[in-house]
Amino acid sequence: MYWTIVLTPVWWLLGLQTLLYPTVATILLATNFDLDKLIKRSIPLCNWAWLGMVLVALWTSIQGLSQIGFEVMKTIATLVTLFKGYFLIFSCLTLPFWHRIRVQVVTRAVAWMAACFLITLGIQLLILIAVGPQLPFLPPLARVIPGDKMSLMVGFAIIQPFFGIPLARTGLYTPDPPILGVCALLSFLISYSETDRRLRKFAMAGSLATLIISQSRLAWICFPLSFLIMNGFRSGLVRQSSLWATSFISFICGLVGMTLTELLTKPLETFNSARADSSKDREYVIDATIEAWKESPWIGWGIVERTVTWGNGAFELPLGTFSSYSQVLYLHGSIGFIFFIAALALTLGCFWQPALQGNKICSLAFASLIVLYILCQATTLTWMTIYFWYFFIWLGAILAETRHNYVSSWEQLSKKYKI
């Protein structure tokens, strides 16, 4: 597990990462599987919720595939997406209950990986300055993997305008810079708890540099928000968060002479103006996705079958490309959306009480989940999970170490529940 995380650049250059991580997680999950062990370890409710999401997604996908006669390539692509999406989340959260995976070990591995961001970013910027923009290439091993190759491409830094200013931007180990922004932010928060001070500084510097060069606007906003949430737990303000938030918003509205609606829309206009075309494209695709969901509101469409075009046919994207929430509605309907929200809420709830009791690592995990849920509005979770799979391993390890209600025998289990 440690070296699988640390050697992320190697897997990226080989073109193996999208299949390697879920395969490793599944093999480890299947190793020494024992029903008695499952009951003794008292798996948290959020793990079962994610397994429920896997089953609902599988059911709705089968419904969608049946409409096209289970076309071979489409069936394989759908099952692979499920394998490296929701099932990967369930596997990573559950693994620490199967095997002894310490939080400190996962944190150290992520810290080394984040520190290596400085090296890989430096190489990409040198290539950009010395040679200029380069076309992405497909690694040799990735060519033998069937299906879409986009997520396996090795890309280089390019120049893109940001607020009208041409700046360097890259996706690095990911196919899309916004996903890199999510990975960088989560890596920063995980590395924040690293005990080696020198390594922690390099890891946080690498994550911060990666976050900046990703030009992910929403990730930039979530960065200070995560620290605000953590400090709220430490100061006890989180218990009165609604009161403080209402008072602060009222104070700002009175100070600048704006209504609440104006206060919300003005920053949003500035946010969208940074990359106006991208914001319009996202809004257009999300609106089209919601309209398609309304045609099959309960079980959705199961598979990505439709695309949306605009600009006289110059642009075309599959429905559900951006927001995770609209994608779940479109693919799995209202039933899948209920399971999805339940899984998100239960996972967040597992860290709430320990965080209130002063557990720093749980308050860090809680803040990380909040920002991830916000970032899911900009990018689909099933597409980007594979690139920060270690985050769910980290969460599972924290849950395994903070839960003390394990039982070691059937006799103890019967006494606990008075069977």
Side-chain angles (χ1 to χ4, degrees), residues 373-387:
Y373 295 169
I374 295 173
L375 290 164
C376 280
Q377 175 58 24
T379 310
T380 53
L381 183 62
T382 51
W383 190 31
M384 60 181 177
T385 293
I386 194 71
Y387 303 102

Side-chain angles (χ1 to χ4, degrees), residues 120-143:
T120 49
L121 283 180
I123 294 173
Q124 288 219 356
L125 290 177
L126 283 175
I127 294 174
L128 179 63
I129 295 171
V131 186
Q134 299 294 307
L135 293 175
F137 70 91
L138 189 65
L141 292 178
R143 296 172 184 173

Side-chain angles (χ1 to χ4, degrees), residues 65 68 70-80 145-148:
L65 289 169
I68 60 172
F70 292 97
E71 182 183 324
V72 176
M73 294 307 298
K74 193 69 175 181
T75 301
I76 294 174
T78 302
L79 293 177
V80 169
I145 298 176
D148 185 16

Side-chain angles (χ1 to χ4, degrees), residues 270-289:
T270 304
F271 177 86
N272 291 334
S273 66
R275 197 172 292 108
D277 291 340
S278 176
S279 298
K280 291 179 181 178
D281 294 347
R282 289 174 181 274
E283 183 180 2
Y284 188 81
V285 175
I286 291 173
D287 289 344
T289 302

Side-chain angles (χ1 to χ4, degrees), residues 18-260:
T18 55
L19 292 180
L20 175 67
Y21 304 143
T23 300
V24 169
T26 302
I27 291 174
L28 289 176
L29 190 67
T31 303
N32 299 324
F33 175 81
D34 186 358
L35 183 61
D36 194 48
K37 181 194 298 184
L38 176 65
I39 297 175
K40 289 178 182 179
R41 288 297 182 183
S42 184
I43 305 299
L45 188 58
C46 66
N47 294 47
W48 296 115
W50 282 110
L51 181 59
M53 185 63 206
V54 172
L55 297 177
V56 169
L58 178 62
W59 172 59
T60 55
S61 296
I62 291 174
Q63 299 295 319
L65 289 169
S66 66
Q67 300 298 318
I68 60 172
F70 292 97
E71 182 183 324
V72 176
M73 294 307 298
K74 193 69 175 181
T75 301
I76 294 174
T78 302
L79 293 177
V80 169
T81 299
L82 183 62
F83 177 59
K84 63 187 183 71
Y86 298 126
F87 185 75
L88 178 61
I89 295 175
F90 165 74
S91 300
C92 291
L93 285 173
T94 307
L95 272 178
F97 293 89
W98 248 249
H99 305 273
R100 180 167 172 75
I101 302 175
R102 293 183 297 154
V103 176
Q104 187 178 0
V105 172
V106 180
T107 302
R108 179 63 54 86
V110 174
W112 276 113
M113 183 199 67
C116 290
F117 281 152
L118 292 172
I119 300 174
T120 49
L121 283 180
I123 294 173
Q124 288 219 356
L125 290 177
L126 283 175
I127 294 174
L128 179 63
I129 295 171
V131 186
Q134 299 294 307
L135 293 175
F137 70 91
L138 189 65
L141 292 178
R143 296 172 184 173
V144 300
I145 298 176
D148 185 16
K149 309 292 186 181
M150 180 180 175
S151 59
L152 301 174
M153 299 292 287
V154 174
F156 296 89
I158 59 174
I159 298 294
Q160 274 194 353
F162 191 71
F163 282 108
I165 304 172
L167 296 171
R169 193 185 194 201
T170 180
L172 204 60
Y173 309 144
T174 70
D176 196 24
I179 300 179
L180 180 63
V182 179
C183 296
L185 180 55
L186 295 179
S187 297
F188 184 97
L189 294 172
I190 295 174
S191 302
Y192 188 74
S193 61
E194 170 57 43
T195 54
D196 187 325
R197 296 178 63 182
R198 186 175 182 181
L199 176 58
R200 182 172 68 245
K201 290 179 180 178
F202 279 108
M204 292 170 66
S207 299
L208 188 58
T210 306
L211 178 62
I212 292 172
I213 203 170
S214 71
Q215 295 185 23
S216 175
R217 296 161 291 170
L218 193 56
W220 288 6
I221 294 174
C222 289
F223 179 70
L225 176 62
S226 61
F227 284 93
L228 183 64
I229 296 171
M230 284 189 291
N231 289 328
F233 280 109
R234 294 173 185 177
S235 63
L237 292 177
V238 73
R239 293 179 177 85
Q240 299 87 27
S241 57
S242 59
L243 176 63
W244 282 102
T246 304
S247 302
F248 179 74
I249 292 173
S250 300
F251 171 73
I252 295 297
C253 288
L255 185 65
V256 299
M258 291 183 179
T259 65
L260 178 59

